[in-house]
Amino acid sequence: MDIVDTMKLKNMGITYIILKTLMIVLVVFFATDAVMQFISYSFYKGDRQFKSVKYEPEEIQIGEGLFGYGYNLDSQADKVILFFGGSMYVAYNSVGMYGGLFDCPFLCVDYYGTQKSKGKMNLATMQQSAEELYTYTRYRYSNKDVYVIGHSYGCGMAAYLASVKECKHLVLASGYRTCADLYNKIFPIFWGPLKVFIKNNIRVDQYAKTTTCPVTILASDSDTVLSAKVQQKLADCYSCARSSCDQCPSVDCKIFHGIKHEDYFSTDKVIQEITKILN
């Protein structure tokens, strides 16, 4: 075997190693995304209703095969809240725990493919669920202002809805810019351009560009899931360099002390802050 053949074999060996490494990397990224998406969706599927709640939820049929729950449905208030809960907070749980905190109709939807709602859960059907909840609300409460509130994972669809529909105010409690902010807490591999490997990525950073209503972001220095630093970066997504732009939302990031990730809506300071926004 001459030197040319030896070099060819060596180059083929290097190419094989490179290709094999790339394949392993791709498998790791795709598999990790699939696992994280499965975990995220699983919190909304199956028998997830709390056995004990503070307020009695009332089931509502939002569309064909799409269901949710509400509270204070006959309130004469001039506003209505559309709430998107975080992990474990399906519509029944969100309404059952938080529906009576505010003196106005309080509505939540169970995404297609979760709880009683038919179909398959993915980004497109989550967005469709949010929009159909809005349509239902506008039909039932045509003279009321719509306030949209999201917590944790639910901030994604809350932010999406406010970016495509007319809303009075958007409140995000412990939100995120993309799913990478959530995934990297467990598997810190989705950085920079590597976010492209996230299928069904919820891009709040993109939704912010078409949001025109005022935005309030609630954070806590004791939130170890989505930190106050992440919330400040989220607020930056909504900030506009053109300070005189009428189409850019006003953004307020409030950082509380001592509130854990799961305790925002069981904390008086947070409820008082939201009540001020509603009034």
Side-chain angles (χ1 to χ4, degrees):
M1 184 180 293
D2 59 26
I3 190 170
V4 174
D5 292 333
T6 301
M7 289 299 295
K8 286 182 178 179
L9 288 173
K10 184 177 181 180
N11 289 337
M12 288 176 62
I14 294 173
T15 301
Y16 173 77
I17 292 172
I18 293 173
L19 290 175
K20 185 176 181 179
T21 302
L22 285 174
M23 286 297 296
I24 293 173
V25 169
L26 288 174
V27 168
V28 168
F29 273 99
F30 285 125
T32 301
D33 172 56
V35 169
M36 291 305 300
Q37 180 174 285
F38 175 81
I39 293 173
S40 298
Y41 289 3
S42 68
F43 287 119
Y44 297 91
K45 297 181 177 182
D47 185 12
R48 298 291 182 183
Q49 292 186 359
F50 293 159
K51 293 182 179 180
S52 177
V53 293
K54 296 180 180 179
Y55 312 101
E56 188 61 35
E58 182 176 338
E59 185 179 88
I60 54 176
Q61 182 168 0
I62 297 163
E64 186 173 353
L66 185 65
F67 296 84
Y69 285 89
Y71 193 79
N72 278 337
L73 296 180
D74 297 323
S75 169
Q76 297 304 306
D78 60 355
K79 59 188 69 67
V80 57
I81 293 174
L82 304 186
F83 186 86
F84 296 86
S87 300
M88 291 294 294
Y89 275 81
V90 296
Y92 181 91
N93 298 343
S94 294
V95 172
M97 299 306 292
Y98 308 139
L101 295 175
F102 310 101
D103 188 21
C104 64
F106 186 99
L107 280 64
C108 300
V109 64
D110 282 317
Y111 305 121
Y112 280 111
T114 71
Q115 302 300 299
K116 193 176 177 179
S117 296
K118 307 299 182 182
K120 183 178 180 180
M121 185 180 182
N122 55 43
L123 179 56
T125 59
M126 290 169 68
Q127 293 174 337
Q128 182 182 351
S129 302
E131 290 192 61
E132 288 190 28
L133 174 63
Y134 183 91
T135 300
Y136 171 90
T137 302
R138 278 302 192 196
Y139 177 79
R140 182 164 182 169
Y141 303 106
S142 59
N143 61 336
K144 297 183 187 296
D145 292 326
V146 177
Y147 289 77
V148 180
I149 302 176
H151 176 227
S152 190
Y153 192 79
C155 285
M157 287 306 99
Y160 168 75
L161 187 60
S163 75
V164 296
K165 298 295 183 180
E166 181 182 354
C167 301
K168 187 70 173 180
H169 204 111
L170 171 65
V171 179
L172 302 176
S174 193
Y176 51 93
R177 295 162 295 174
T178 74
C179 285
D181 285 335
L182 297 167
Y183 292 4
N184 284 335
K185 293 295 296 184
I186 301 176
F187 298 107
I189 60 175
F190 296 102
W191 302 104
L194 297 179
K195 296 174 186 176
V196 72
F197 290 105
I198 301 178
K199 184 182 179 182
N200 287 317
N201 194 2
I202 302 175
R203 295 294 305 271
V204 178
D205 59 341
Q206 294 298 316
Y207 304 155
K209 296 179 180 180
T210 53
T211 301
T212 57
C213 69
V215 179
T216 298
I217 294 171
L218 307 179
S220 170
D221 58 8
S222 297
D223 190 333
T224 58
V225 178
L226 289 163
S227 67
K229 184 177 180 180
V230 170
Q231 304 315 301
Q232 290 171 324
K233 292 179 179 179
L234 174 60
D236 290 340
C237 295
Y238 284 95
S239 298
C240 180
R242 297 168 297 162
S243 59
S244 61
C245 178
D246 293 335
Q247 295 302 310
C248 297
S250 62
V251 185
D252 189 13
C253 183
K254 294 188 176 295
I255 301 176
F256 295 93
H257 173 68
I259 301 175
K260 294 181 180 179
H261 180 75
E262 64 274 15
D263 292 338
Y264 284 90
F265 293 92
S266 58
T267 304
D268 289 342
K269 291 181 292 185
V270 171
I271 303 307
Q272 290 167 6
E273 184 63 37
I274 296 175
T275 300
K276 284 195 298 184
I277 293 170
L278 295 172
N279 294 333

